[in-house]
């Protein structure tokens, strides 16, 4: 049994998991079986660390002429701070520097590094829980403006100083900095890199950083997607949905609007909101916000699905006409689109009064772009989180209900006693997908949608319109265009679906476990590589086969959903084509972050 190196109560330096930064910690206990130390950071976070991740205080060089305290407020008031770092005392642009100024310049760089190192200390000392990264096995998103501040003045000072340092001391090496790096320690080099990263994080998004093609791109998406959605649905209702018959005959606009349909949609939305508010299911914390707060979320999506199923079953038993939804499918799509637009306007108007700390890292300051991408990160009415609610409830559960409506419509229109095997396969495959998402609801809390994108038209339209009315496209197609599937072919489709699901669920479970606790001993066999963001990427297990195994599983399942529709027309495979484009674009966003 190897002897322990550090005693209980000893104050040492512990490495924060996933980074190369060491912080002052206190040894609480030692597990002789796993050889792990339980340590406590200054902010109260308790973690288990390996012995080689702990170093004695004496192994770290003391800062010269400064307090050993890591309190940013104390360091901020210290007299050792260089006066030349004040923005009001900047030398004029192009001014000539003397030799003494060059020496002062080197001293300023060192002092800036020391001060930024201290200021950054609280950045990573927040307990991460289930939210260490967005996609493990994928590059973690770096949130701009994610620095927790004690007050508004401190936030302004940090932003101002970081901006000044980034221009006064370029990250590109100059002659003076090259000579300085030759005598600097490795710790100081890492702090310089950390400074550059954090300086970028607090910088507002620039025009060239706008995604989706900037303002012209989001303009086309906002007005093009709703039109494209209705064209697809109209094509699908034609007797021959060949692309040669594009565009389909267009109905009059007044024929697409029915107030009663809009009322039914509002009722559906309110019922799901009521289920969301029920005090059932566990409550978990989300990712740390800019000010260090962590919002609480109640995980009851699966319970909402069970309650919805009970309500729908009761309605069927009472003889409610669900065929009404199929007959007014286009009207329901328009009602959902109108509701989405009204909701987006409300979200944008309320975001104008939101404090800066509540805004999305993706917001740009351009009103039109922010209306699309979402300006406020977590819009809430009391404890009711609008974005989190819409992410999984009305649209995803509505998708299953629409599939059921199409199954009943097929039986009625085609005079079947039982649904076709193709319709059963589509319903079963997609039902498994939705149930899996609701059962693993907690995983959504660290997705890009929740931690990066604001809640605007993009997510509102995607969650409330695109998901229920496009993802149910295969079932809608089979109502008017039946396809007979043999049992041998059905068996192959089931195998394909299960293969995709195993890859999808296995990869996501592995990354979610790593995301919750990257230092978990159960994950010790997994290999990782260090990245410039300070975090690690999984490169073994499922994540050792391909870069994004979860996307691969998703695509395989999407193909399995379309195969029951046959090969008479390409229209049912639109979802596979679209989903491939979506995941390729999402992968590019991941790599950029």
């Amino acid at each position: 049994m190897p002897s322990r190196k550090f005693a209980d109560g000893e104050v040492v330096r512990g490495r924060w998991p996933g980074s190369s930064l060491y912080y002052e910690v206190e040894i609480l206990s030692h597990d002789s079986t796993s050889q792990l130390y339980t340590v406590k950071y200054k902010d109260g976070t308790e973690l288990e660390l390996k012995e080689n991740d702990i170093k004695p205080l004496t192994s770290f060089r003391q800062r010269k002429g400064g307090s050993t305290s890591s309190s940013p407020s104390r360091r901020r008031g210290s007299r050792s701070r260089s006066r030349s770092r004040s923005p009001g005392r900047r030398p004029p642009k192009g001014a000539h520097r003397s030799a003494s100024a060059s020496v002062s310049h080197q001293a300023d760089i060192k002092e800036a590094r020391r001060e930024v190192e201290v200021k950054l200390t609280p950045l990573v000392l927040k307990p991460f829980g289930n939210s260490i990264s967005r996609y493990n096995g994928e590059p973690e998103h770096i949130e701009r403006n994610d620095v927790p501040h004690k007050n508004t003045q401190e936030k302004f000072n940090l932003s101002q100083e970081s901006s000044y340092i980034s221009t006064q001391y370029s990250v590109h090496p100059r002659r003076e900095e090259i000579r300085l790096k030759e005598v600097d320690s490795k710790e100081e080099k890492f702090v310089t890199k950390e400074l550059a990263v954090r300086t970028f994080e607090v910088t507002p998004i620039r025009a060239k950083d706008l995604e989706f093609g900037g303002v012209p791109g989001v303009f086309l998406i906002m007005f093009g997607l709703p039109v494209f959605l209705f064209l697809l649905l109209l094509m699908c209702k034609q007797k021959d949905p060949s692309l040669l018959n594009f565009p389909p005959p267009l109905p009059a606009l007044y024929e697409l609007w029915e107030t009663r349909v809009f009322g039914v949609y509002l009722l559906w939305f309110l019922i799901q909101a009521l289920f969301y508010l029920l005090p059932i299911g566990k409550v978990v914390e989300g990712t740390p916000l800019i000010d260090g707060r962590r919002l609480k979320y109640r995980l009851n999506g699966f319970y909402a699905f069970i309650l919805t199923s009970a309500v729908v079953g009761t309605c069927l038993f009472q003889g409610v006409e669900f065929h009404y939804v199929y007959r007014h499918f286009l009207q329901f799509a328009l009602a959902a689109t109108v509701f989405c637009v009204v909701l987006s306007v409300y979200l944008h108007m309320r975001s104008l009064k939101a404090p800066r700390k509540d805004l999305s890292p993706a917001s740009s300051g351009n009103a039109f772009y922010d209306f699309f991408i979402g300006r406020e990160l977590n819009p809430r009415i009391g404890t009711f989180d609008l974005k989190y609610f819409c992410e999984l409830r009305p649209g995803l559960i509505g998708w299953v209900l629409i599939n059921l409506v199409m199954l009943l419509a097929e039986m009625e229109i085609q005079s079947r006693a039982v649904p076709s095997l193709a319709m059963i396969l589509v319903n079963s495959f997609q039902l498994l997908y939705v149930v899996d998402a609701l059962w693993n609801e907690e995983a959504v809390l660290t997705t890009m949608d929740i931690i990066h994108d604001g809640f605007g038209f993009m997510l509102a339209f995607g969650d409330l319109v695109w998901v229920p009315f496009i993802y149910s496209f295969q079932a809608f197609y089979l109502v008017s265009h039946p396809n007979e599937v043999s049992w041998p072919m059905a068996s192959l489709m089931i195998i394909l679906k299960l293969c995709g699901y195993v890859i999808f669920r296995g990869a996501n479970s592995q990354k979610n476990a790593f995301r919750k606790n990257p230092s978990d001993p159960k994950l010790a066999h997994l290999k990782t590589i260090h990245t410039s963001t300070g975090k690690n990427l999984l490169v073994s297990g499922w994540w050792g086969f391909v870069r994004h195994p979860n996307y691969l599983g998703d695509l395989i399942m999407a193909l399995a959903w379309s195969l029951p529709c046959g090969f008479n027309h390409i229209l049912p495979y639109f979802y596979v084509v679209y989903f491939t484009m979506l995941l390729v674009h999402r992968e590019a966003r991941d790599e950029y972050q």
Side-chain angles (χ1 to χ4, degrees), residues 71-74 76 122 148-155 291:
S71 169
S73 59
R74 291 182 59 186
R76 191 169 56 252
H149 306 285
K150 292 186 176 180
N151 50 53
T152 307
Q153 184 64 35
E154 183 175 349
K155 177 167 65 175
D291 55 2

Side-chain angles (χ1 to χ4, degrees), residues 508-525:
N508 277 322
S509 297
Q510 204 168 63
K511 69 162 186 172
N512 289 338
F514 184 78
R515 175 164 50 201
K516 290 179 181 179
N517 184 11
S519 60
D520 189 341
K522 296 179 180 178
L523 305 175
H525 65 285

Side-chain angles (χ1 to χ4, degrees), residues 5 68 80 177 187 315 319 321 335 339 363 378 391 521 539 542:
K5 186 176 179 180
T68 57
S80 63
E177 290 178 318
E187 181 182 359
C315 291
E321 183 78 26
F339 181 83
S363 61
N378 300 293
E391 189 77 13
V539 290
W542 286 107

Side-chain angles (χ1 to χ4, degrees), residues 429 432-433 496-502 504-505 550 552-562 575:
F429 291 168
L432 174 61
Y433 188 85
L496 183 66
K497 162 67 180 182
L498 292 178
C499 286
Y501 178 75
V502 168
F504 171 80
R505 177 44 44 209
N550 53 341
L552 174 63
D554 238 338
L555 288 173
I556 293 175
M557 289 191 292
L559 178 61
W561 298 352
S562 301
Y575 177 79

Side-chain angles (χ1 to χ4, degrees), residues 436-508:
D436 176 83
L438 295 172
W439 183 261
N440 297 281
E441 183 179 5
E442 187 175 358
V444 79
L445 294 178
T446 47
T447 59
M448 195 174 196
D449 291 351
I450 297 295
I451 69 172
H452 177 261
D453 297 330
F455 193 29
F457 180 85
M458 180 183 73
L459 287 182
F461 183 82
D463 294 338
L464 303 178
V465 183
W466 194 259
V467 167
F469 293 96
I470 287 297
Y471 285 29
S472 60
F473 196 67
Q474 288 88 356
F476 184 55
Y477 173 87
L478 287 172
V479 175
S480 304
H481 310 90
N483 180 60
E484 297 301 325
V485 178
S486 65
W487 277 106
M489 287 300 299
S491 301
L492 293 177
M493 295 175 191
I494 293 173
I495 293 173
L496 183 66
K497 162 67 180 182
L498 292 178
C499 286
Y501 178 75
V502 168
I503 297 172
F504 171 80
R505 177 44 44 209
N508 277 322

Side-chain angles (χ1 to χ4, degrees), residues 282-297:
K282 67 176 182 177
V283 177
V284 300
E285 292 183 331
T287 58
L289 302 178
I290 298 174
D291 55 2
R293 292 179 300 121
R294 298 178 64 169
L295 299 178
K296 293 185 177 181
Y297 300 87

Side-chain angles (χ1 to χ4, degrees), residues 229-237 329-330 333 469 473 476:
L229 167 71
F230 283 96
L231 289 177
L232 277 177
L233 296 180
L234 289 170
M235 283 285 294
C236 195
K237 294 193 73 172
F329 197 54
L330 290 174
F469 293 96
F473 196 67
F476 184 55

